[in-house]
Coordinates of all heavy atoms in Angstrom, one line a residue:
M13 N -13.1 -11.6 -20.3 CA -12.9 -10.3 -19.8 C -11.5 -9.9 -19.9 O -10.6 -10.8 -20.0 CB -13.4 -10.1 -18.4 CG -14.9 -10.1 -18.3 SD -15.3 -9.6 -16.6 CE -16.8 -10.5 -16.5
D14 N -11.2 -8.6 -19.9 CA -9.8 -8.1 -20.1 C -9.3 -7.6 -18.9 O -9.0 -6.4 -18.7 CB -9.8 -7.1 -21.2 CG -8.4 -6.8 -21.7 OD1 -7.5 -7.7 -21.6 OD2 -8.2 -5.7 -22.3
H15 N -9.0 -8.5 -17.8 CA -8.5 -8.0 -16.5 C -7.0 -8.3 -16.5 O -6.6 -9.4 -16.9 CB -9.2 -8.8 -15.4 CG -10.6 -8.4 -15.2 ND1 -11.2 -7.3 -15.7 CD2 -11.6 -9.1 -14.5 CE1 -12.4 -7.3 -15.4 NE2 -12.7 -8.4 -14.7
K16 N -6.3 -7.4 -16.0 CA -4.9 -7.6 -15.7 C -4.7 -8.2 -14.3 O -5.3 -7.8 -13.4 CB -4.1 -6.3 -15.7 CG -4.0 -5.7 -17.1 CD -3.2 -4.4 -17.0 CE -3.1 -3.7 -18.3 NZ -2.4 -2.4 -18.3
P17 N -3.8 -9.2 -14.2 CA -3.6 -9.7 -12.8 C -2.9 -8.7 -12.0 O -2.1 -7.8 -12.5 CB -2.7 -10.9 -13.1 CG -2.2 -10.7 -14.4 CD -3.1 -9.9 -15.2
N18 N -3.1 -8.8 -10.7 CA -2.3 -7.9 -9.7 C -2.7 -6.4 -9.9 O -1.9 -5.6 -9.5 CB -0.8 -8.2 -9.8 CG -0.5 -9.6 -9.4 OD1 -1.2 -10.2 -8.6 ND2 0.5 -10.1 -10.0
T19 N -3.8 -6.1 -10.4 CA -4.2 -4.6 -10.5 C -4.8 -4.3 -9.2 O -5.9 -4.8 -8.9 CB -5.2 -4.4 -11.7 OG1 -4.5 -4.8 -12.9 CG2 -5.5 -3.0 -11.8
S20 N -4.2 -3.4 -8.5 CA -4.7 -3.0 -7.2 C -5.7 -1.8 -7.4 O -5.7 -1.1 -8.4 CB -3.6 -2.6 -6.3 OG -3.0 -1.4 -6.7
S21 N -6.5 -1.6 -6.4 CA -7.5 -0.5 -6.4 C -6.6 0.8 -6.4 O -7.1 1.8 -6.9 CB -8.4 -0.6 -5.2 OG -7.6 -0.5 -4.0
G22 N -5.5 0.8 -5.7 CA -4.7 2.0 -5.6 C -4.2 2.4 -7.0 O -4.3 3.6 -7.3
S23 N -3.8 1.5 -7.9 CA -3.3 1.9 -9.2 C -4.5 2.4 -10.0 O -4.3 3.4 -10.9 CB -2.6 0.8 -9.9 OG -3.4 -0.3 -10.2
L24 N -5.7 1.8 -9.9 CA -6.9 2.3 -10.6 C -7.3 3.7 -10.1 O -7.6 4.6 -10.8 CB -8.1 1.4 -10.4 CG -7.9 -0.1 -11.0 CD1 -9.0 -0.9 -10.6 CD2 -7.8 0.1 -12.5
K25 N -7.2 3.9 -8.8 CA -7.5 5.2 -8.2 C -6.5 6.3 -8.7 O -6.9 7.4 -9.0 CB -7.4 5.1 -6.7 CG -7.7 6.5 -6.0 CD -7.7 6.3 -4.5 CE -8.0 7.7 -3.9 NZ -8.2 7.6 -2.5
M26 N -5.2 5.9 -8.8 CA -4.2 6.8 -9.3 C -4.5 7.3 -10.7 O -4.3 8.5 -10.9 CB -2.8 6.1 -9.2 CG -2.4 6.0 -7.8 SD -0.9 5.0 -7.5 CE 0.3 5.9 -8.4
K27 N -5.0 6.4 -11.5 CA -5.3 6.8 -12.9 C -6.3 7.8 -12.9 O -6.2 8.9 -13.6 CB -5.8 5.6 -13.7 CG -4.8 4.7 -14.2 CD -5.4 3.7 -15.1 CE -4.6 2.4 -15.2 NZ -5.3 1.4 -15.9
G28 N -7.4 7.7 -12.2 CA -8.6 8.5 -12.3 C -8.4 9.8 -11.6 O -8.9 10.8 -12.0
N29 N -7.8 9.9 -10.4 CA -7.8 11.1 -9.6 C -6.4 11.6 -9.3 O -6.2 12.2 -8.3 CB -8.5 10.7 -8.2 CG -9.8 10.1 -8.3 OD1 -10.6 10.5 -9.3 ND2 -10.3 9.4 -7.4
W30 N -5.5 11.3 -10.2 CA -4.1 11.6 -9.8 C -3.8 13.0 -9.5 O -3.1 13.4 -8.6 CB -3.1 11.0 -10.8 CG -1.6 11.2 -10.3 CD1 -0.7 11.9 -10.9 CD2 -1.1 10.6 -9.1 NE1 0.5 11.8 -10.2 CE2 0.2 11.0 -9.0 CE3 -1.6 9.8 -8.1 CZ2 1.1 10.7 -8.0 CZ3 -0.8 9.5 -7.0 CH2 0.5 9.9 -7.0
N31 N -4.4 14.0 -10.3 CA -4.1 15.4 -10.1 C -4.6 15.8 -8.7 O -4.0 16.6 -8.0 CB -4.8 16.3 -11.1 CG -4.0 16.2 -12.5 OD1 -2.7 16.0 -12.4 ND2 -4.7 16.3 -13.6
E32 N -5.7 15.3 -8.3 CA -6.3 15.6 -7.0 C -5.4 15.1 -5.9 O -5.1 15.7 -4.9 CB -7.8 15.1 -6.8 CG -8.5 15.4 -5.6 CD -9.8 14.8 -5.5 OE1 -10.5 14.6 -6.5 OE2 -10.3 14.5 -4.4
I33 N -5.0 13.8 -6.0 CA -4.2 13.2 -5.0 C -2.9 13.9 -4.9 O -2.3 14.1 -3.8 CB -3.9 11.7 -5.4 CG1 -5.2 10.9 -5.3 CG2 -2.9 11.0 -4.6 CD1 -5.2 9.5 -5.9
K34 N -2.3 14.3 -6.1 CA -1.0 15.0 -6.1 C -1.1 16.3 -5.2 O -0.2 16.6 -4.5 CB -0.7 15.4 -7.5 CG 0.5 14.8 -8.0 CD 0.9 15.1 -9.5 CE 0.3 16.3 -10.2 NZ 0.9 16.4 -11.5
G35 N -2.2 17.0 -5.4 CA -2.3 18.2 -4.7 C -2.4 18.0 -3.2 O -1.8 18.7 -2.3
K36 N -3.1 16.9 -2.7 CA -3.2 16.6 -1.3 C -1.8 16.2 -0.7 O -1.5 16.5 0.3 CB -4.2 15.5 -1.1 CG -5.6 16.0 -1.3 CD -6.6 14.9 -1.1 CE -8.0 15.3 -1.4 NZ -9.0 14.2 -1.2
M37 N -1.0 15.5 -1.5 CA 0.3 15.1 -1.1 C 1.2 16.3 -1.0 O 2.0 16.3 0.0 CB 0.9 14.0 -2.1 CG 0.0 12.7 -2.2 SD 0.6 11.6 -3.5 CE 2.0 10.9 -2.7
K38 N 1.1 17.2 -1.9 CA 2.0 18.3 -1.8 C 1.6 19.3 -0.6 O 2.5 19.9 0.0 CB 1.9 19.2 -3.1 CG 2.6 18.6 -4.3 CD 2.3 19.3 -5.5 CE 3.5 19.5 -6.4 NZ 3.1 20.3 -7.6
Q39 N 0.4 19.2 -0.2 CA 0.0 20.0 1.0 C 0.6 19.4 2.2 O 1.0 20.1 3.1 CB -1.6 20.0 1.1 CG -2.3 20.8 0.1 CD -3.8 20.7 0.3 OE1 -4.3 19.9 1.1 NE2 -4.5 21.5 -0.5
Q40 N 0.7 18.1 2.3 CA 1.3 17.4 3.4 C 2.8 17.4 3.4 O 3.5 17.4 4.4 CB 0.8 16.0 3.6 CG -0.7 16.0 3.9 CD -1.3 14.6 4.1 OE1 -0.6 13.7 4.6 NE2 -2.5 14.3 3.7
Y41 N 3.4 17.3 2.2 CA 4.8 17.3 2.1 C 5.2 18.3 1.0 O 5.2 18.1 -0.2 CB 5.3 15.9 1.6 CG 5.2 14.9 2.7 CD1 4.1 14.1 2.9 CD2 6.3 14.7 3.6 CE1 4.0 13.1 3.8 CE2 6.2 13.8 4.6 CZ 5.1 13.0 4.7 OH 5.0 12.1 5.8
A42 N 5.6 19.5 1.5 CA 5.9 20.6 0.6 C 7.1 20.4 -0.3 O 7.3 20.9 -1.3 CB 6.1 21.9 1.4
N43 N 7.9 19.4 0.1 CA 9.2 19.1 -0.6 C 9.0 18.2 -1.8 O 9.8 17.9 -2.6 CB 10.3 18.5 0.3 CG 9.9 17.2 0.9 OD1 8.7 17.0 1.1 ND2 10.9 16.4 1.2
L44 N 7.7 17.7 -2.0 CA 7.4 16.9 -3.1 C 7.2 17.8 -4.3 O 6.5 18.7 -4.3 CB 6.1 16.1 -2.9 CG 6.2 14.9 -1.9 CD1 4.9 14.3 -1.6 CD2 7.1 13.8 -2.5
T45 N 7.9 17.4 -5.4 CA 7.8 18.2 -6.7 C 6.9 17.5 -7.7 O 6.6 16.3 -7.5 CB 9.2 18.5 -7.3 OG1 9.7 17.1 -7.7 CG2 10.1 19.0 -6.3
D46 N 6.6 18.2 -8.8 CA 5.8 17.6 -9.8 C 6.6 16.4 -10.4 O 6.0 15.3 -10.8 CB 5.5 18.5 -11.0 CG 4.4 19.5 -10.6 OD1 3.5 19.1 -9.7 OD2 4.3 20.6 -11.1
D47 N 8.0 16.5 -10.5 CA 8.7 15.5 -11.0 C 8.6 14.2 -10.1 O 8.7 13.0 -10.6 CB 10.2 15.9 -11.2 CG 10.4 16.8 -12.4 OD1 9.5 16.8 -13.3 OD2 11.4 17.4 -12.4
D48 N 8.7 14.5 -8.8 CA 8.6 13.3 -7.8 C 7.2 12.6 -8.0 O 7.2 11.4 -7.8 CB 8.6 13.9 -6.4 CG 10.0 14.5 -6.0 OD1 11.0 14.0 -6.5 OD2 10.0 15.4 -5.2
L49 N 6.2 13.4 -8.3 CA 4.9 12.8 -8.4 C 4.4 12.5 -9.8 O 3.3 12.3 -10.1 CB 3.9 13.8 -7.8 CG 4.2 14.1 -6.3 CD1 3.3 15.2 -5.8 CD2 4.0 12.8 -5.4
L50 N 5.3 12.4 -10.8 CA 5.0 12.1 -12.2 C 4.5 10.6 -12.2 O 5.2 9.7 -11.9 CB 6.2 12.2 -13.0 CG 6.0 11.9 -14.5 CD1 5.0 12.9 -15.1 CD2 7.3 12.0 -15.2
Y51 N 3.2 10.5 -12.6 CA 2.6 9.2 -12.7 C 2.6 8.7 -14.2 O 2.2 9.3 -15.0 CB 1.2 9.2 -12.2 CG 0.4 7.9 -12.5 CD1 0.7 6.8 -11.7 CD2 -0.5 7.8 -13.5 CE1 0.1 5.6 -11.9 CE2 -1.1 6.6 -13.7 CZ -0.8 5.5 -12.9 OH -1.5 4.3 -13.1
E52 N 3.3 7.5 -14.3 CA 3.2 6.8 -15.6 C 2.7 5.4 -15.4 O 3.2 4.7 -14.6 CB 4.6 6.8 -16.2 CG 5.2 8.1 -16.5 CD 6.6 8.0 -17.0 OE1 6.8 7.5 -18.2 OE2 7.6 8.4 -16.4
E53 N 1.7 5.1 -16.2 CA 1.1 3.8 -16.0 C 2.2 2.7 -16.2 O 2.9 2.8 -17.2 CB 0.0 3.6 -17.1 CG -0.9 2.4 -16.8 CD -2.1 2.3 -17.7 OE1 -2.4 3.3 -18.3 OE2 -2.8 1.3 -17.7
G54 N 2.1 1.7 -15.3 CA 3.2 0.6 -15.4 C 4.5 0.9 -14.6 O 5.3 0.1 -14.5
K55 N 4.6 2.2 -14.2 CA 5.8 2.6 -13.5 C 5.5 3.0 -12.0 O 6.2 3.9 -11.5 CB 6.6 3.7 -14.2 CG 7.1 3.2 -15.6 CD 8.0 4.3 -16.2 CE 8.5 3.8 -17.6 NZ 9.4 4.8 -18.1
E56 N 4.5 2.4 -11.4 CA 4.1 2.8 -10.1 C 5.2 2.6 -9.1 O 5.3 3.4 -8.2 CB 2.8 2.0 -9.7 CG 1.6 2.4 -10.4 CD 1.3 1.7 -11.7 OE1 2.3 0.9 -12.1 OE2 0.4 1.9 -12.4
D57 N 6.0 1.5 -9.3 CA 7.1 1.3 -8.3 C 8.1 2.4 -8.3 O 8.6 2.8 -7.2 CB 7.8 -0.1 -8.6 CG 6.9 -1.2 -8.1 OD1 6.0 -1.1 -7.3 OD2 7.1 -2.4 -8.6
E58 N 8.4 3.0 -9.4 CA 9.3 4.1 -9.5 C 8.7 5.3 -8.8 O 9.4 6.0 -8.0 CB 9.6 4.5 -10.9 CG 10.5 3.4 -11.6 CD 10.7 3.8 -13.1 OE1 10.6 4.9 -13.4 OE2 11.0 2.8 -13.9
L59 N 7.4 5.5 -9.0 CA 6.7 6.6 -8.3 C 6.8 6.4 -6.8 O 7.1 7.4 -6.0 CB 5.3 6.7 -8.7 CG 4.3 7.7 -8.0 CD1 4.8 9.1 -8.2 CD2 2.9 7.4 -8.4
Y60 N 6.5 5.2 -6.3 CA 6.5 4.9 -4.9 C 7.9 5.2 -4.3 O 8.1 5.7 -3.2 CB 6.1 3.5 -4.6 CG 4.6 3.2 -4.9 CD1 4.3 2.0 -5.5 CD2 3.6 4.1 -4.6 CE1 2.9 1.7 -5.8 CE2 2.3 3.8 -4.9 CZ 2.0 2.6 -5.5 OH 0.7 2.3 -5.7
G61 N 8.9 4.8 -5.1 CA 10.3 5.0 -4.6 C 10.6 6.4 -4.5 O 11.3 6.8 -3.5
R62 N 10.2 7.3 -5.4 CA 10.5 8.7 -5.3 C 9.8 9.3 -4.1 O 10.4 10.1 -3.4 CB 10.0 9.4 -6.6 CG 10.9 9.1 -7.8 CD 10.6 10.0 -9.0 NE 9.3 10.0 -9.4 CZ 8.8 9.2 -10.4 NH1 9.5 8.3 -11.0 NH2 7.5 9.3 -10.7
I63 N 8.5 8.9 -3.8 CA 7.8 9.4 -2.7 C 8.4 8.9 -1.4 O 8.6 9.7 -0.5 CB 6.3 9.0 -2.8 CG1 5.6 9.6 -4.0 CG2 5.5 9.3 -1.6 CD1 4.3 9.1 -4.3
Q64 N 8.9 7.7 -1.4 CA 9.5 7.1 -0.2 C 10.7 8.0 0.2 O 11.0 8.3 1.4 CB 10.0 5.7 -0.4 CG 9.0 4.6 -0.3 CD 9.6 3.3 -0.7 OE1 9.5 2.8 -1.8 NE2 10.2 2.7 0.3
K65 N 11.6 8.3 -0.8 CA 12.8 9.1 -0.5 C 12.5 10.4 0.1 O 13.2 10.9 1.0 CB 13.6 9.3 -1.8 CG 14.3 8.1 -2.3 CD 15.1 8.4 -3.6 CE 15.7 7.1 -4.1 NZ 16.4 7.4 -5.4
K66 N 11.4 11.1 -0.4 CA 11.1 12.5 0.1 C 10.4 12.4 1.4 O 10.5 13.4 2.2 CB 10.2 13.2 -1.0 CG 11.0 13.5 -2.2 CD 12.0 14.7 -1.9 CE 12.7 15.2 -3.1 NZ 12.2 16.4 -3.8
T67 N 9.6 11.4 1.7 CA 8.8 11.4 2.9 C 9.3 10.5 4.0 O 8.9 10.6 5.1 CB 7.3 10.9 2.5 OG1 7.3 9.5 2.1 CG2 6.6 11.7 1.5
G68 N 10.2 9.6 3.7 CA 10.7 8.7 4.7 C 9.8 7.5 5.1 O 10.0 6.8 6.0
R69 N 8.7 7.4 4.3 CA 7.7 6.3 4.6 C 8.1 5.0 3.8 O 8.9 5.1 2.8 CB 6.3 6.7 4.1 CG 5.7 7.9 4.9 CD 4.3 8.2 4.3 NE 3.7 9.3 5.1 CZ 2.4 9.3 5.2 NH1 1.6 8.4 4.8 NH2 1.9 10.3 6.0
T70 N 7.7 3.9 4.3 CA 7.9 2.6 3.5 C 6.9 2.6 2.3 O 6.0 3.3 2.2 CB 7.5 1.4 4.4 OG1 6.2 1.4 4.7 CG2 8.4 1.5 5.7
K71 N 7.2 1.7 1.4 CA 6.4 1.5 0.2 C 4.9 1.2 0.6 O 4.0 1.8 0.1 CB 6.9 0.4 -0.6 CG 6.2 0.2 -1.9 CD 6.9 -0.9 -2.8 CE 6.2 -1.1 -4.1 NZ 6.8 -2.1 -4.9
E72 N 4.8 0.3 1.6 CA 3.4 0.0 2.1 C 2.7 1.2 2.7 O 1.5 1.4 2.4 CB 3.5 -1.2 3.1 CG 3.8 -2.5 2.5 CD 5.4 -2.6 2.1 OE1 6.2 -1.9 2.7 OE2 5.6 -3.4 1.1
E73 N 3.5 2.0 3.4 CA 2.9 3.3 4.0 C 2.5 4.2 2.9 O 1.4 4.8 2.9 CB 3.9 3.9 4.9 CG 4.1 3.1 6.2 CD 5.2 3.8 7.1 OE1 6.1 4.3 6.5 OE2 5.1 3.6 8.3
V74 N 3.3 4.3 1.9 CA 3.0 5.2 0.7 C 1.7 4.7 0.0 O 0.8 5.6 -0.2 CB 4.2 5.3 -0.3 CG1 3.7 6.1 -1.5 CG2 5.4 6.0 0.4
K75 N 1.6 3.4 -0.2 CA 0.4 2.9 -0.9 C -0.8 3.1 -0.1 O -1.8 3.5 -0.6 CB 0.6 1.4 -1.1 CG 1.6 1.1 -2.3 CD 1.6 -0.5 -2.4 CE 2.4 -0.8 -3.7 NZ 2.4 -2.3 -3.9
S76 N -0.7 2.9 1.2 CA -1.9 3.0 2.1 C -2.3 4.5 2.1 O -3.5 4.8 2.1 CB -1.5 2.5 3.4 OG -2.5 2.7 4.4
W77 N -1.3 5.4 2.2 CA -1.6 6.8 2.3 C -2.3 7.3 1.1 O -3.3 8.0 1.1 CB -0.2 7.5 2.5 CG -0.2 9.0 2.5 CD1 -1.1 9.7 3.2 CD2 0.7 10.0 1.9 NE1 -0.8 11.1 3.1 CE2 0.3 11.2 2.2 CE3 1.7 9.8 1.0 CZ2 0.9 12.4 1.8 CZ3 2.4 10.9 0.6 CH2 2.0 12.2 1.0
I78 N -1.8 6.8 -0.1 CA -2.5 7.2 -1.4 C -3.9 6.7 -1.4 O -4.8 7.4 -1.8 CB -1.6 6.7 -2.6 CG1 -0.3 7.5 -2.7 CG2 -2.4 6.8 -3.9 CD1 0.7 7.0 -3.7
D79 N -4.1 5.4 -1.0 CA -5.4 4.9 -0.9 C -6.4 5.7 -0.1 O -7.6 5.7 -0.4 CB -5.5 3.5 -0.5 CG -4.9 2.5 -1.6 OD1 -5.0 2.9 -2.7 OD2 -4.5 1.4 -1.2
K80 N -5.9 6.4 0.9 CA -6.7 7.1 1.9 C -7.0 8.5 1.4 O -7.9 9.1 2.0 CB -6.1 7.1 3.3 CG -6.0 5.7 4.0 CD -5.3 5.9 5.3 CE -5.1 4.5 5.8 NZ -4.3 4.4 7.1
L81 N -6.3 9.0 0.5 CA -6.4 10.4 0.0 C -7.7 10.5 -0.8 O -8.1 9.7 -1.4 CB -5.2 10.9 -0.8 CG -3.9 11.1 0.1 CD1 -2.8 11.5 -0.8 CD2 -4.1 12.1 1.2

């Protein structure tokens, strides 16, 4: 099988539903921009960092929040 190690359910969810998730995040944090929420496969840590700066949440909180959306 062709499984990547350390692939979290969050990153898989982000691929499939990112536009929907982005909308929900912007509703809760109006200061998040499309640039802040730009998702590029393999660059999730950069995305989490941008969200952390705007929301004041930790990386773990950001990941958990995204998983719940």
Side-chain angles (χ1 to χ4, degrees):
M13 288 190 207
D14 194 24
H15 291 340
K16 289 182 182 178
N18 299 327
T19 300
S20 71
S21 62
S23 65
L24 294 175
K25 179 177 181 176
M26 288 170 63
K27 280 187 207 178
N29 303 330
W30 188 241
N31 285 331
E32 182 181 333
I33 292 169
K34 241 178 21 178
K36 290 179 181 179
M37 294 173 82
K38 285 172 141 182
Q39 286 176 357
Q40 292 182 35
Y41 288 92
N43 63 331
L44 287 171
T45 66
D46 285 333
D47 287 342
D48 294 329
L49 299 173
L50 179 63
Y51 173 74
E52 295 179 69
E53 191 171 349
K55 295 187 177 183
E56 289 87 356
D57 284 339
E58 291 176 25
L59 171 65
Y60 294 138
R62 291 190 301 268
I63 296 170
Q64 280 179 264
K65 284 181 187 176
K66 290 286 183 104
T67 64
R69 294 179 178 216
T70 67
K71 184 176 179 179
E72 288 73 27
E73 288 173 330
V74 169
K75 285 182 175 183
S76 177
W77 180 43
I78 290 170
D79 283 342
K80 291 175 185 173
L81 291 175

